[in-house]
């Protein structure tokens, strides 16, 4: 096997030591987590003179941690958006564990195998922003993981890591696990807040941003599960250690969720900046049955699809992958082999977005339905060539014209799958019919 | 010509369905009442507890007919319309009566390209129902689900908003259905991480017996 490709930004990833999901038996239990240095970061932050809320935020900012929920927004910067502390105004943290983006399944493994790292991250974030309550929003489908986490959380309350006067330091904060009930839209931060407030989860118009007016109108910060799990690591090891992992502009460990036609699918922890080819052929054991690679969706269903010839030398960090014509998203990567029917594949994606559109904005509510109907028609062999242009036109009319980004997320896969695999769509359309001049019409084979 | 307003109107259709639960059944036990109080305390207003309240009600009654939704609303002292709105927004709240076991087969994205539809169609044939229907004995409801967040172990399904069943094969489905008919519950299955294969004998939890590893997915025969 050749040495690591020089364009990889993950360094010596073969000898990488995992930190988010370290190989420790029963790490999900409080006692084991404590024995392995758990809650040390929290203790350091709360007691002693080294840390105050400002310095914790500054350290996270310095580490260049970027959100792992898909948008890759710098976390430390987000924390500074919170208004100055006013003792009369409650403030909230929301941890987004809704994880419904198709192709994404990393947070579930983190919540099962290392929930205390998440809890510790939440507590430190609460301290850094002087927050009294964190709502951990977990999708309702993860019922069994919610039960397990609630049991562990109860232990935390008993041991005094959460609640009033934590570890005798005078700092008090609560964690509440909120169980969703099956709606993709709740992963959008403003609709997550609506859902928490016990309403139909219709996204809100921004501004005002959550930091100004969040849940129940109070200042709120919303972070992804994996993002908050990185915080104790930064406190324990320092911002420089963290920013030294992986790609310079998008550092840190990343949970890569690889699924689809590979020999060893699953969640893998490696530094950011891994080559996509390394992830497919080395980490995930190559293509199933030795088939040829056809396409990769690198970060969940809404990011632009990449053809096999586009992934050479592309690394998993926000800038490189954007230059290559896609997005980092959630690093939930779907790999497809040469036998995949792209039209049917897209039909199912459009069905998903049609089903999950909340119905608040017309371009999305109607547009997602139109996308599904058109792609289904093409998939059945009843489509016309002009439907392809109509699809792109629809995408133009949906993107950026709604309250939240679901319409964009629904339009991107259509736009890019149709553009990048156009010949497959054309092949499934009805042959174009041209007039011949003598009154009859003549069928022509679509151009390939 | 003016409309004949003296003509007797046809009677309005009876829009109030027969309630599924009687007034005697629509009461909380002391333990449930206590649980509701716990939920209420977690939020600044009672609205926040609506979703948990509906979950509690669904666990108790199996589904959420209007009178159960009203019970939740009255317990939490929030308008019925708001609770009804929430109940109808989220797919996991059952607004109609379902079978004892609701089989949510994921066919979305990764599961589609890894054979989710093969599994769905196999179940359709085995249970002799179409997707969305309930078997005559009231035991199984078959549904097509959107991404359930277990893409690495595709194809997969979820049983009545609870256990996940990973890496499905038609054989596994047959065993599942036969087992459920005999009342065998499906345990929680922990899916181990591929990176743990060398370090922890493939299982990092000693409190869970049922484990599964990620497999190379099957070849999908049908994709729709």
């Amino acid at each position: 096997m050749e040495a690591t490709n020089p364009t990889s930004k993950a360094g010596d990833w073969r000898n990488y030591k995992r930190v988010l999901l370290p190989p420790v038996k029963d790490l999900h239990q409080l006692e084991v987590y404590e024995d392995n240095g758990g809650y040390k970061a929290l203790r350091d932050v709360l007691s002693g003179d080294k840390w105050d809320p400002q310095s914790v935020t500054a350290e996270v900012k310095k580490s260049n941690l970027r959100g792992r929920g898909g948008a890759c927004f710098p976390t430390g910067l987000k924390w500074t958006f919170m208004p100055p502390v006013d003792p009369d105004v409650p403030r909230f943290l929301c941890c987004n564990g809704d994880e419904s983006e198709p192709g994404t399944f990393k947070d579930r493994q983190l919540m099962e195998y290392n929930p205390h790292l998440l809890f510790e991250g939440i507590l430190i974030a609460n301290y850094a922003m002087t927050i009294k309550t964190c709502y951990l929003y977990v999708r309702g489908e993860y019922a069994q993981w919610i039960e397990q986490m609630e049991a562990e959380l109860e232990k935390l309350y008993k041991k005094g890591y959460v609640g009033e006067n934590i570890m005798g330091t005078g700092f008090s904060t609560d964690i509440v696990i909120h169980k969703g009930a099956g709606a993709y839209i709740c992963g959008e931060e403003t609709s997550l807040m609506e859902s928490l407030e016990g309403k139909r989860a219709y996204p809100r118009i921004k501004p005002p941003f959550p930091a100004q007016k969040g849940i129940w109108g109070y200042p709120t910060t919303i972070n992804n599960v994996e993002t908050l799990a990185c915080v104790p690591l930064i406190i324990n090891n320092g911002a420089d250690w963290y920013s030294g992992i992986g790609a310079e502009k998008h550092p840190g460990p990343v949970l890569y969720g690889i699924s689809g036609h590979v020999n060893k699918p699953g969640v893998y922890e490696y530094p950011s900046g891994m080559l996509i080819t390394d992830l497919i052929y080395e980490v995930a054991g190559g293509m199933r049955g030795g088939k040829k690679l056809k396409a990769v969706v690198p970060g969940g269903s809404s990011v632009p699809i990449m053809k096999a010839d586009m992934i050479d030398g592309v690394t998993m960090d926000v800038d490189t992958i954007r230059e290559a014509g896609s997005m980092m998203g959630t690093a939930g990567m779907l790999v497809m082999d040469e036998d995949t029917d792209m039209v049917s594949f897209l039909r199912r994606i459009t069905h998903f977005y049609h089903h999950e559109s909340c119905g608040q904005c017309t371009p999305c509510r109607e547009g997602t339905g139109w996308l599904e109907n058109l792609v289904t028609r093409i998939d059945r062999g009843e489509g016309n060539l002009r439907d392809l242009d109509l699809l792109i036109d629809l995408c133009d009319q949906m993107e950026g014209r709604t309250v939240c980004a679901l319409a964009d997320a629904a339009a991107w896969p259509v736009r890019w799958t149709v553009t990048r695999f156009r010949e497959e769509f054309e092949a499934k359309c009805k042959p174009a019919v041209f007039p011949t001049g003598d009154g009859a019409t003549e069928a022509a084979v679509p151009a390939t | 010509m003016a409309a004949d307003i003296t003509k007797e109107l046809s009677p309005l259709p009876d829009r109030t369905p027969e309630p599924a639960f009687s007034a005697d059944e629509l009461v909380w036990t002391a333990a449930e009442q206590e649980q509701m109080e716990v939920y209420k305390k977690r939020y600044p207003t009672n609205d926040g507890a609506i979703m948990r309240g509906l979950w509690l009600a669904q666990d108790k009654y199996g589904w959420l007919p209007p009178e159960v939704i009203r019970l939740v609303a009255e317990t939490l002292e929030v308008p019925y319309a708001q609770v009804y709105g929430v109940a109808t927004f989220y797919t996991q709240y059952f607004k109609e009566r379902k079978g004892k076991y609701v089989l949510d087969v994921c066919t979305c994205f990764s599961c589609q390209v890894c054979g989710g539809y093969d599994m769905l169609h196999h179940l359709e044939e085995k249970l002799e129902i179409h997707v969305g229907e309930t078997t005559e004995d009231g035991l199984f409801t078959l549904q097509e689900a959107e991404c359930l967040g277990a893409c690495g172990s595709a194809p997969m399904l979820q049983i009545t908003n609870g256990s996940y069943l990973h890496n499905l094969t038609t054989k596994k489905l047959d065993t599942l259905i036969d087992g459920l008919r005999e009342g065998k519950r499906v345990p929680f299955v922990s899916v181990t991480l591929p990176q743990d294969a060398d370090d922890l004998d493939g299982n990092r939890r000693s409190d869970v017996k049922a484990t599964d590893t990620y497999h190379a997915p099957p070849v999908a025969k049908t994709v729709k």
Side-chain angles (χ1 to χ4, degrees), chain A residues 168-212:
Chain A
T169 56
F171 178 67
S172 307
T173 195
D174 283 305
I175 299 178
V176 174
I177 298 179
H178 186 92
K179 186 181 178 185
Y184 167 73
I185 191 68
C186 294
E188 204 277 336
E189 57 179 13
T190 58
S191 98
L192 184 145
M193 297 192 300
E194 289 282 305
S195 182
L196 264 175
E197 291 179 17
K199 298 178 189 157
R200 295 167 75 87
Y202 292 140
R204 299 176 186 170
I205 292 171
K206 291 188 277 191
F209 290 94
Q212 291 127 28

Side-chain angles (χ1 to χ4, degrees), chain A residues 114-135:
Chain A
N114 206 355
H116 288 287
L117 188 67
L118 170 63
F119 291 144
E120 193 176 359
I122 288 174
L123 293 168
I124 294 170
N126 277 1
Y127 175 76
M129 290 176 276
T130 324
I131 287 169
K132 288 266 184 283
T133 311
C134 167
Y135 289 105

Side-chain angles (χ1 to χ4, degrees), chain B residues 132-202:
Chain B
E133 294 174 352
T134 304
T135 51
E136 269 177 26
D137 57 5
L139 214 49
F140 298 103
T141 299
L142 185 60
Q143 299 188 150
E144 184 181 359
E146 302 302 338
C147 185
L148 294 170
C151 316
S153 44
M156 56 78 63
L157 65 76
Q158 182 175 29
I159 304 157
T160 326
N161 297 333
S163 304
Y164 277 25
L165 207 64
H166 305 268
N167 297 310
L168 293 179
T169 58
T170 49
K171 212 177 144 196
K172 223 173 181 175
L173 288 177
D174 292 342
T175 320
L176 168 79
I177 298 297
D178 298 342
L180 287 177
R181 279 190 175 135
E182 289 165 21
K184 276 187 205 149
R185 295 186 73 94
V186 179
F188 172 77
V189 178
S190 178
V191 179
T192 57
L193 296 164
Q195 279 171 303
D196 288 340
D198 305 329
D199 296 320
L200 300 160
D201 313 321

Side-chain angles (χ1 to χ4, degrees), chain A residues 26 112 135 178 200 261 288, chain B residues 43 85 113 190 204 206 218:
Chain A
D26 291 328
E112 176 176 353
Y135 289 105
H178 186 92
R200 295 167 75 87
H261 302 148
R288 178 192 67 185
Chain B
Y43 303 91
V113 299
S190 178
R204 51 165 66 219
S206 55

Side-chain angles (χ1 to χ4, degrees), chain A residues 16 18 21-29 92 99-105 108-109 112-114 133 135 137 139-146 148 150 176-183 185-186 191 194-202 216 218 258-270 288 297 300-302 332-336 339-341 344-349 351-353 355-356 358 379-380 428, chain B residues 35 39 41-52 55 59 81-93 95 104-115 117 144-154 156 158-164 166-167 186-208 210-220 223-224:
Chain A
Y16 171 73
R18 288 180 281 159
L21 293 166
V24 178
K25 193 118 180 154
D26 291 328
L27 190 62
H28 62 289
Q29 293 173 356
F92 296 99
E99 188 169 61
S100 328
E101 178 85 6
T104 311
F105 54 111
R108 179 172 57 86
Q109 302 257 273
E112 176 176 353
Y113 287 127
N114 206 355
T133 311
Y135 289 105
Y137 192 109
R139 65 182 299 194
E141 284 88 345
Y142 291 175
Q144 298 190 313
W145 291 273
I146 292 175
Q148 293 175 14
E150 285 195 322
V176 174
I177 298 179
H178 186 92
K179 186 181 178 185
I185 191 68
C186 294
S191 98
E194 289 282 305
S195 182
L196 264 175
E197 291 179 17
K199 298 178 189 157
R200 295 167 75 87
Y202 292 140
W216 288 286
Y218 298 120
I258 307 174
S259 62
H261 302 148
V262 289
N263 282 318
K264 289 194 293 176
V267 172
Y268 294 88
E269 183 191 333
Y270 281 112
R288 178 192 67 185
V297 185
S301 64
S302 54
M333 183 188 289
L334 173 64
V335 181
M336 286 171 282
D339 296 337
T340 315
D341 181 343
S344 294
F345 171 68
L346 183 64
R347 181 191 57 77
R348 189 63 183 83
I349 295 182
H351 174 75
F352 170 79
Y353 286 106
H355 183 266
E356 297 297 342
C358 77
D379 193 28
R380 283 189 186 143
K428 271 208 173 181
Chain B
Q35 187 64 58
Y39 291 152
K41 281 200 195 98
R42 292 181 181 176
Y43 303 91
T45 65
N46 283 355
D47 307 33
I50 290 176
M51 291 185 76
R52 283 289 192 158
W55 273 117
D59 290 344
Q82 186 181 350
V83 185
Y84 186 83
V86 171
T88 49
F89 187 84
Y90 300 90
T91 48
Q92 282 191 296
Y93 295 133
K95 274 74 68 180
D104 275 312
V105 185
C106 179
T107 58
C108 188
F109 206 57
S110 307
C111 281
Q112 181 201 13
V113 299
C114 297
Y117 279 101
E144 184 181 359
E146 302 302 338
C147 185
L148 294 170
C151 316
S153 44
M156 56 78 63
Q158 182 175 29
I159 304 157
T160 326
N161 297 333
S163 304
Y164 277 25
H166 305 268
N167 297 310
V186 179
F188 172 77
V189 178
S190 178
V191 179
T192 57
L193 296 164
Q195 279 171 303
D196 288 340
D198 305 329
D199 296 320
L200 300 160
D201 313 321
N203 182 17
R204 51 165 66 219
R205 295 182 61 169
S206 55
D207 56 347
V208 174
T211 57
D212 208 338
T213 50
Y214 290 110
H215 304 298
V219 176
V223 286
K224 58 189 158 187

